[in-house]
Amino acid sequence: MRSKLVVGNWKMNGSRAANAELLSNIVAGLDGASAACAVCVPCVYLHQTQELLAGSPMKVGAQDVSDKACGAFTGEVAASMLVEYDCQYVIVGHSERRAYHMETSELVACKAEAVLRAGMTPIVCVGETLEERDAGQTNAVVSEQLEAVLKLLDEADVAKLVVAYEPVWAIGTGKTATPAMAQEVHAALRAQLRAHSAEVADTVPLLYGGSMKPDNAKELMAQPDIDGGLIGGAALKAADFLAIIHAAR
Ligand code: 13P
């Protein structure tokens, strides 16, 4: 059986003072029985997060990475730099990166590879817009996004991925996919992984993201192919994030 994983994505939120309060409240609310969990913070807060989470079960993560190793790439951050801050997870291909920074599925695949080469876990995000859903293209869209990654990586690397299904229309909108809708897409992603490699299909965690909150988390995570959550807004409130982590038990 796959164990559950709950990851917070702070996006471009936080301040040193707010982070200190949020992280200390989260750490105080975790116990030995908590599900595996992590927070993906803005890069400038990695050092602070690393220090505040030292010795706690909550892991550190980043929200993006360069596909390049080093060099003249102004503004970019390399995977080898993230490792120095104890990062274990790196989100790649978030829909906000795809939409506002024109990231292609091929670039996202290269970023996932860079994360793996540095010894971290990529959280590969896939998801359709409302227009695409209404046009009946959901499975085609998410499968193209995942396929680019599967094409680039070998089986041993695919086994180390986390995949997050985040319908774009559910992100930050308060609209959540129903558990049945989310499960349907997760099952399709699982089938795609199985077609690629029967060995790894049952072990890769598939997270749901998009307005996951304390009141819907349990039902979503009870679906057979939903192995946890990628949480935006609710990860900025200690009580809500802890409630979701506890719902994953
Ligand atoms: P919300 O939980 O705010 O909808 O954001 C989801 C998300 O984009 C996580 O990566």
Side-chain angles (χ1 to χ4, degrees):
M1 201 181 124
R2 292 174 297 274
S3 45
K4 296 281 194 256
L5 171 64
V6 176
V7 180
N9 173 11
W10 287 5
K11 309 193 179 185
M12 198 172 70
N13 291 295
S15 68
R16 288 186 60 85
N19 305 344
E21 191 185 341
L22 176 59
L23 289 172
S24 64
N25 287 336
I26 292 171
V27 167
L30 294 173
D31 57 41
S34 299
C37 51
V39 278
C40 294
V41 304
C43 277
V44 288
Y45 297 136
L46 282 172
H47 185 228
Q48 182 193 21
T49 304
Q50 174 190 31
E51 293 200 325
L52 290 171
L53 295 184
S56 112
M58 177 75 61
K59 305 297 181 203
V60 184
Q63 300 173 11
D64 183 36
V65 68
S66 173
D67 62 316
K68 306 289 193 302
C70 64
F73 301 101
T74 302
E76 294 287 282
V77 173
S80 61
M81 299 171 184
L82 299 178
V83 168
E84 293 195 293
Y85 294 92
D86 293 342
C87 269
Q88 298 203 2
Y89 296 96
V90 184
I91 296 171
V92 294
H94 191 280
S95 61
E96 288 148 19
R97 301 289 319 170
R98 293 181 193 259
Y100 308 142
H101 299 270
M102 311 305 154
E103 292 195 5
T104 63
S105 296
E106 288 67 35
L107 176 63
V108 172
C110 293
K111 289 185 174 199
E113 189 178 36
V115 171
L116 287 161
R117 292 290 86 80
M120 301 177 289
T121 301
I123 300 176
V124 178
C125 298
V126 300
E128 83 289 3
T129 62
L130 188 57
E131 227 175 25
E132 289 163 341
R133 172 161 285 268
D134 288 345
Q137 294 168 345
T138 299
N139 284 351
V141 169
V142 300
S143 110
E144 177 275 329
Q145 292 170 335
L146 180 60
E147 196 58 33
V149 178
L150 299 182
K151 215 164 97 184
L152 187 69
L153 303 180
D154 64 23
E155 189 174 328
D157 279 338
V158 172
K160 295 176 194 153
L161 295 177
V162 171
V163 176
Y165 168 56
E166 299 205 310
V168 177
W169 48 270
I171 294 176
T173 58
K175 286 185 204 149
T176 319
T178 64
M181 275 160 94
Q183 166 58 25
E184 191 183 338
V185 179
H186 280 235
L189 292 169
R190 183 89 61 206
Q192 187 177 358
L193 285 166
R194 186 163 289 113
H196 188 77
S197 158
E199 299 255 304
V200 306
D202 289 318
T203 60
V204 172
L206 301 181
L207 311 184
Y208 170 80
S211 300
M212 193 186 267
K213 307 276 183 222
D215 62 359
N216 59 26
K218 208 175 184 92
E219 211 190 336
L220 282 159
M221 291 191 281
Q223 300 300 310
D225 289 296
I226 302 185
D227 307 313
L230 184 56
I231 321 299
L236 298 172
K237 293 183 201 135
D240 286 2
F241 194 44
L242 284 166
I244 296 173
I245 292 168
H246 295 323
R249 273 194 238 252

